[in-house]
Amino acid sequence: MKPLFFLSLILVVLLFSSVIPVSAESEFELYLSDFYQKQEKASKILKEIETDLKDGSRDRVCARQREAASYGIEATESLIKAFKTNGSESQMENLQAGLDKWRELRDYC
């Protein structure tokens, strides 16, 4: 009887521990992390495009430029959310201008 009790107790503990989410990062940190990841992807794609253009290749430039711009837009939106979450409104005009530049890059092709 005791082994059955301990087994059921262990199952209950495991069940509840797997259901409870662990929040290691704040909302601000999550948005900031998302910003850095997407900004890195956008930068990488743009650098590849630059290298290809220097080498004379125009293969899929517009499609890749739109992809990079989409990452840039998502990154900037995450940064805006991070600043709002943190209570900072001082850089909103600059962030909005950056967002507009990404959109312009996306729509240019």
Side-chain angles (χ1 to χ4, degrees):
M1 188 71 163
K2 284 185 179 182
L4 184 62
F5 173 73
F6 286 117
L7 182 62
S8 61
L9 181 64
I10 290 172
L11 286 174
V12 169
V13 169
L14 289 175
L15 177 68
F16 282 113
S17 66
S18 66
V19 172
I20 300 171
V22 176
S23 180
E25 294 186 36
S26 69
E27 191 175 7
F28 173 78
E29 290 169 334
L30 288 173
Y31 286 131
L32 207 55
S33 175
D34 188 54
F35 163 74
Y36 285 124
Q37 290 172 4
K38 290 183 177 166
Q39 187 69 24
E40 181 64 30
K41 288 179 183 179
S43 294
K44 182 179 179 222
I45 293 169
L46 290 175
K47 285 178 185 175
E48 290 171 358
I49 292 171
E50 181 181 16
T51 301
D52 288 350
L53 287 173
K54 284 180 181 177
D55 293 340
S57 173
R58 297 192 52 81
D59 187 39
R60 298 186 56 238
V61 169
C62 282
R64 293 186 305 163
Q65 181 174 316
R66 282 191 294 272
E67 181 184 8
S70 293
Y71 282 125
I73 290 167
E74 291 173 11
T76 306
E77 288 172 344
S78 289
L79 189 59
I80 289 170
K81 289 175 186 175
F83 272 76
K84 286 183 179 178
T85 300
N86 207 27
S88 177
E89 297 287 329
S90 62
Q91 296 293 322
M92 287 303 147
E93 286 183 28
N94 292 337
L95 293 174
Q96 189 60 46
L99 189 58
D100 292 341
K101 289 290 183 187
W102 280 114
R103 288 182 178 140
E104 186 180 318
L105 182 67
R106 178 194 62 195
D107 298 339
Y108 180 72
C109 274

